[in-house]
Amino acid sequence: KAGVTQTPRYLIKTRGQQVTLSCSPISGHRSVSWYQQTPGQGLQFLFEYFSETQRNKGNFPGRFSGRQFSNSRSEMNVSTLELGDSALYLCASSFTGTGISEAFFGQGTRLTVV
Amino acid sequence: QKEVEQNSGPLSVPEGAIASLNCTYSDRGSQSFFWYRQYSGKSPELIMFIYSNGDKEDGRFTAQLNKASQYVSLLIRDSQPSDSATYLCAGGTNAGKSTFGDGTTLTVKP
């Protein structure tokens, strides 16, 4: 069974640009969550999608948005990039998205904003 | 106050010892709890989950949950150098939200 696939693995962008990251969950999983991980802030929850609907949202500005497609693949978009957006972005998929359904992480996308 | 707090660490134990990692949570809506291990430069890997009060054992790992005290712990018996990593505690609600602690870095010295 294939794991969670995130693309691209590495990305370098300039301040002010926008970026789109992609996440393909494990087959059959309907919930996709996105996290930002930085050395100073740990793993911060961005949002969670379940059956194409955003079900949970963390405390990030509106520049961070996402969506989920009918095949459960998800994309995350960051507009007007800032230097502070440099981080490892992780997505995690789970079967039902309930608290009892364990989540599995992709390898992450390392975003560097210069 | 963070929703999930972990003992700050870093934690260092000798090979063969028991490593004890602790976590407290504030959201009483959290129904299940997860321990992830993250090696440097890698993504988190699920080790164990627990949702009932008491202990849950899996090999050298034991997770403990006390909902009344809002406390979760992970014990690693016979610690090995390969256990050296950052351990993340997460609480999950039935609404699909998972909140992570900042992690505790464990070093097992040969």
Side-chain angles (χ1 to χ4, degrees):
Chain A
K1 198 177 204 182
V4 181
T5 303
Q6 289 188 248
T7 57
R9 291 291 310 277
Y10 303 92
L11 207 49
I12 300 176
K13 289 287 189 179
T14 305
R15 258 185 315 175
Q17 287 186 312
Q18 74 164 17
V19 67
T20 299
L21 312 181
S22 178
C23 174
S24 293
I26 292 171
S27 178
H29 284 194
R30 295 166 63 191
S31 170
V32 174
S33 298
W34 287 90
Y35 298 86
Q36 181 194 68
Q37 188 173 39
T38 59
Q41 297 295 320
L43 204 64
Q44 302 293 309
F45 174 74
L46 281 153
F47 29 65
E48 183 245 353
Y49 285 86
F50 181 75
S51 293
E52 301 179 65
T53 300
Q54 185 182 89
R55 190 166 55 169
N56 292 284
K57 190 177 188 305
N59 298 320
F60 277 80
R63 300 186 297 107
F64 292 82
S65 63
R67 59 177 174 168
Q68 186 179 35
F69 302 95
S70 58
N71 62 357
S72 294
R73 189 178 72 84
S74 177
E75 288 182 347
M76 189 191 90
N77 185 77
V78 188
S79 63
T80 320
L81 284 165
E82 300 177 0
L83 295 178
D85 296 333
S86 295
L88 178 66
Y89 289 88
L90 292 161
C91 82
S93 81
S94 61
F95 180 61
T96 65
T98 69
I100 295 179
S101 177
E102 60 267 39
F104 298 89
F105 283 85
Q107 292 303 303
T109 295
R110 173 79 58 186
L111 172 65
T112 302
V113 182
V114 297
Chain B
Q1 182 192 4
K2 292 181 71 74
E3 289 184 37
V4 177
E5 300 260 13
Q6 294 186 241
N7 46 340
S8 56
L11 178 66
S12 180
V13 301
E15 184 174 357
I18 295 176
S20 177
L21 304 162
N22 304 312
C23 174
T24 57
Y25 62 96
S26 59
D27 183 2
R28 287 198 174 270
S30 296
Q31 296 296 313
S32 54
F33 301 88
F34 306 86
W35 283 100
Y36 288 84
R37 176 177 61 200
Q38 187 174 25
Y39 293 113
S40 181
K42 301 293 186 181
S43 60
E45 169 194 15
L46 181 69
I47 299 174
M48 293 189 70
F49 67 90
I50 185 168
Y51 52 88
S52 298
N53 276 326
D55 296 359
K56 180 180 179 181
E57 188 174 316
D58 184 0
R60 296 187 295 112
F61 298 93
T62 299
Q64 299 174 315
L65 173 60
N66 184 324
K67 290 188 177 182
S69 301
Q70 295 177 252
Y71 175 85
V72 191
S73 68
L74 179 70
L75 299 177
I76 306 174
R77 290 182 300 280
D78 187 25
S79 295
Q80 301 297 308
S82 59
D83 295 327
S84 298
T86 297
Y87 289 81
L88 299 165
C89 168
T93 70
N94 287 337
K97 180 181 177 183
S98 292
T99 303
F100 283 78
D102 287 341
T104 300
T105 299
L106 171 66
T107 300
V108 180
K109 296 187 175 179

